Amino acid sequence: MRITEFLSGSTFRQQVQSTRAEVAKYNEQVATGKRVTKGSDNAISFTSGKLFEDLIRRNEQYQLNISTGLFQARTTQDALDQMKDLFISMKTLTIEAASENKNADDRLIIAERMKAFKDDLIDLANTKFNDVYIFGGTNSDIRPFFEDPGEPGDVGTDSTDRPMKVLIGDASVIDTTVSGIDLRNKDNGDDLFETVQQTIDALENNDTAELQNSIDRLNNNMNHVVSHATKVASNINRLEFANERIEQSAIDHKSEVSRLTDADIVESMLNFQSAQTSYESVLAIQSQMMQTSLLNYLR
């Protein structure tokens, strides 16, 4: 008799624990909206879900990189477009100054305008985005261009020859700026600032032959700037395409995580109500058994 009562009590304790665990399980599903929150719920779904969540977090970082890269690239493109317009204006002025209709005094006046254009060119070459000099290369925290009589065009540079880049994938890097070294075109013999200064000197010296040479050099530098602007525009397109691709991947990954781990709320609520009813029933039966056992003991 005692063994029977012991086994009966043990069985009911197990039932109470089991139904209480069911209540807690479905209550958590309703509260969190998740069917799988730990490995014991479903090892395969939990592990797969975590892998997709890691991909989502990594892609979110890539999207932040792309956002920064787009701002840098668009700022660079805008500065290059303004430089192109400057060179068009300088070339137009130089053609005008080389005309036989202009005299030495006219050319001195044009030289002053050319000096102002040169100052504008230096300012554009020192364009900043969020306290970052976009033409500074990897020395982006240092003003890249400054007056220096010992350098070509009386302009020195602290820029490196490596533009800024952003990581947009596990092994995908895109340039977002142009280095100051590449910008000034020094290696190709038509340094941007030297060409402008040579034009100014020719104007001040009333040297029409040199002005004719300056027209070609200014045109070459304008094409050089346009070439960089075209490359930057291409990289902007690549960044935008990468961002769209990552956004679509994020949607797919989140959908897969949902499929693997989310609960059906309606089903979870019904299961919770059923488990709650079973739990209350087990408690009621256990209470009746305890009362019966107590009466038997008293008798």
Side-chain angles (χ1 to χ4, degrees):
M1 182 66 179
R2 289 179 181 175
I3 294 176
T4 303
E5 290 177 353
F6 174 79
L7 290 175
S8 178
S10 176
T11 299
F12 270 103
R13 282 195 298 273
Q14 291 176 359
Q15 287 181 331
V16 169
Q17 292 173 354
S18 175
T19 53
R20 185 165 56 200
E22 287 287 293
V23 170
K25 170 184 170 182
Y26 292 119
N27 181 56
E28 183 180 14
Q29 288 185 13
V30 172
T32 65
K34 292 291 182 182
R35 175 176 52 84
V36 177
T37 58
K38 50 188 180 296
S40 58
D41 292 333
N42 186 313
I44 294 177
S45 293
F46 180 77
T47 302
S48 299
K50 285 297 181 184
L51 290 174
F52 280 112
E53 287 173 352
D54 288 342
L55 285 174
I56 291 169
R57 283 192 292 271
R58 192 159 62 219
N59 282 340
E60 285 174 348
Q61 182 58 57
Y62 291 145
Q63 284 187 294
L64 286 174
N65 294 350
I66 290 171
S67 178
T68 299
L70 281 171
F71 277 116
Q72 291 175 348
R74 287 167 180 157
T75 302
T76 302
Q77 185 182 40
D78 183 59
L80 290 171
D81 286 341
Q82 291 183 64
M83 287 182 190
K84 177 200 69 177
D85 293 339
L86 273 181
F87 275 101
I88 291 174
S89 298
M90 287 189 285
K91 179 183 173 183
T92 301
L93 268 182
T94 304
I95 292 172
E96 179 185 339
S99 169
E100 294 180 355
N101 297 328
K102 299 297 180 182
N103 57 35
D105 290 338
D106 295 329
R107 293 184 180 109
L108 285 175
I109 294 172
I110 294 174
E112 292 304 313
R113 294 179 62 187
M114 196 68 72
K115 289 177 184 177
F117 282 141
K118 182 184 175 184
D119 289 340
D120 291 340
L121 183 62
I122 294 172
D123 286 342
L124 285 171
N126 286 320
T127 297
K128 294 172 71 174
F129 165 74
N130 283 352
D131 294 327
V132 170
Y133 291 99
I134 60 173
F135 296 115
T138 50
N139 286 343
S140 58
D141 59 335
I142 301 173
R143 183 179 174 88
F145 295 98
F146 49 88
E147 291 186 9
D148 186 345
E151 291 292 325
D154 297 337
V155 177
T157 181
D158 281 328
S159 173
T160 67
D161 60 354
R162 297 188 300 277
M164 287 185 280
K165 308 172 183 289
V166 291
L167 181 68
I168 64 167
D170 292 344
S172 184
V173 177
I174 291 182
D175 293 346
T176 57
T177 65
V178 177
S179 77
I181 299 300
D182 287 338
L183 174 68
R184 70 182 301 165
N185 201 23
K186 188 175 180 179
D187 293 338
N188 292 333
D190 274 328
D191 182 277
L192 256 64
F193 304 105
E194 187 174 31
T195 294
V196 177
Q197 188 57 50
Q198 287 171 341
T199 305
I200 293 170
D201 293 341
L203 288 165
E204 292 180 333
N205 295 328
N206 198 31
D207 188 342
T208 55
E210 184 61 24
L211 285 175
Q212 291 293 340
N213 294 330
S214 291
I215 294 170
D216 289 336
R217 287 197 294 267
L218 288 168
N219 190 65
N220 289 339
N221 278 292
M222 181 186 69
N223 290 335
H224 172 72
V225 169
V226 169
S227 174
H228 278 302
T230 302
K231 291 178 183 177
V232 171
S234 175
N235 285 347
I236 289 174
N237 289 335
R238 290 177 61 195
L239 288 167
E240 290 175 340
F241 176 77
N243 193 51
E244 291 174 2
R245 177 178 53 78
I246 289 174
E247 284 181 347
Q248 184 57 53
S249 294
I251 293 172
D252 294 341
H253 292 157
K254 288 176 182 178
S255 175
E256 192 62 17
V257 170
S258 177
R259 184 187 70 80
L260 289 166
T261 64
D262 282 2
D264 183 323
I265 297 300
V266 174
E267 182 181 352
S268 294
M269 290 182 67
L270 291 174
N271 289 335
F272 171 74
Q273 291 171 357
S274 176
Q276 183 73 21
T277 300
S278 296
Y279 180 57
E280 292 171 354
S281 298
V282 170
L283 290 178
I285 293 171
Q286 187 181 46
S287 176
Q288 291 175 2
M289 288 185 62
M290 290 178 66
Q291 291 176 5
T292 301
S293 298
L294 181 60
L295 288 174
N296 291 335
Y297 176 76
L298 291 174
R299 289 173 186 171

